[in-house]
DNA sequence: ACCGGGTTCCTTGCGGTGCAAGATACTGCT
DNA sequence: AGCAGTATCTTGCACCGCAAGGAACCCGGT
């Protein structure tokens, strides 16, 4: 059985990961595996690519990212993802939602001693 | 259709709410509706009681809380919930998980300009 | 020519959790 | 009796992350 901490981490990622991907694209476009290694580096934000691709597909359907294919010298072509205007707006809206949420959790978890 | 912000908030709550309940019980025992009004006050952490009771049931099954019935002068008897030793330990473990997670999200969302 | 390993994309089935809506039941007031 | 308020719990649903696996491409070694 997976540990309680791992289960907790999995649940924490729900809904946050989507916007972490958008945030990762704010500076520059990137392709799938690049995002996977970036977000999965310390195993805090992403556990496997099986999560990422369906998520990217959703973002594309919702119009938050646009994609272009580019050749690679080291394998099959890469699909690059780029923020749209709607994507920027969604990221801003989430940031405004995240901050009060984070503060509410922080203040509850603070040890009241 | 529900707004994107509401959907995001719902997803944010996943897995966090459970430990917010434990944190709310750290100082003193409480009963269901009391927790519901406390956590739902600003609509940040809890949307409805339909979430809370199954959650409390799970906590009981997992042995993180213990319960006692107490009469009420203003309605049906109340079931009071109280943290067990395992509950305290789970809350501490979650706090240690939450902090790096929160910091990872914060640093990604920070505007890199 | 062929095979194996690295790269890149994607799909399937599953499990866990929050939500709205409604069901049940007890109290006290009219 | 009837109604509003208090309190607990159940049902059906929707969503998202995950592990596991599959398909296709490139290159270097044998």
């Amino acid at each position: 059985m997976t540990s309680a901490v791992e289960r907790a981490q999995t649940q924490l990622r729900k809904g946050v990961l989507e916007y972490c991907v958008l945030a990762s694209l704010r500076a520059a476009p990137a392709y799938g595996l690049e995002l996977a290694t970036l977000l999965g580096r310390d195993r805090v934000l992403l556990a496997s690519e099986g999560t990422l691709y369906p998520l990217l597909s959703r973002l594309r359907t919702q119009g938050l990212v646009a994609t272009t294919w580019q050749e690679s010298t080291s394998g099959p072509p890469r699909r690059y993802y780029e923020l749209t205007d709607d994507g920027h707006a969604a990221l801003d809206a989430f940031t405004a939602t995240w901050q009060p949420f984070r503060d509410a959790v922080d203040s509850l978890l603070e040890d009241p001693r």
Side-chain angles (χ1 to χ4, degrees), chain A:
Chain A
M1 152 179 160
T2 58
S3 81
V5 168
E6 284 166 29
R7 263 194 320 108
Q9 248 176 357
T10 292
Q11 293 305 319
L12 278 180
R13 293 190 258 255
K14 298 227 169 171
V16 180
L17 183 53
E18 172 175 345
Y19 297 97
C20 289
V21 168
L22 293 181
S24 302
L25 294 174
R26 192 172 36 196
Y31 65 98
L33 263 194
E34 193 179 355
L35 291 168
T37 57
L38 175 68
L39 294 168
R41 182 143 304 167
D42 44 14
R43 298 268 130 184
V44 169
L45 294 177
L46 178 68
S48 89
E49 311 145 31
T51 305
L52 190 60
Y53 285 104
L55 193 164
L56 287 169
S57 204
R58 255 180 281 143
L59 294 179
R60 206 166 9 130
T61 303
Q62 295 170 14
L64 304 183
V65 299
T67 69
T68 54
W69 286 98
Q70 273 174 251
E71 297 296 325
S72 161
T73 59
S74 62
R78 300 164 173 171
R79 195 204 280 272
Y80 275 82
Y81 296 84
E82 180 177 14
L83 277 191
T84 62
D85 288 350
D86 282 359
H88 274 105
L91 180 54
D92 290 345
F94 175 78
T95 303
T97 303
W98 163 257
Q99 285 166 359
F101 175 81
R102 176 204 59 198
D103 292 343
V105 175
D106 272 347
S107 70
L108 257 184
L109 289 184
E110 255 170 31
D111 206 349
R113 256 188 304 274

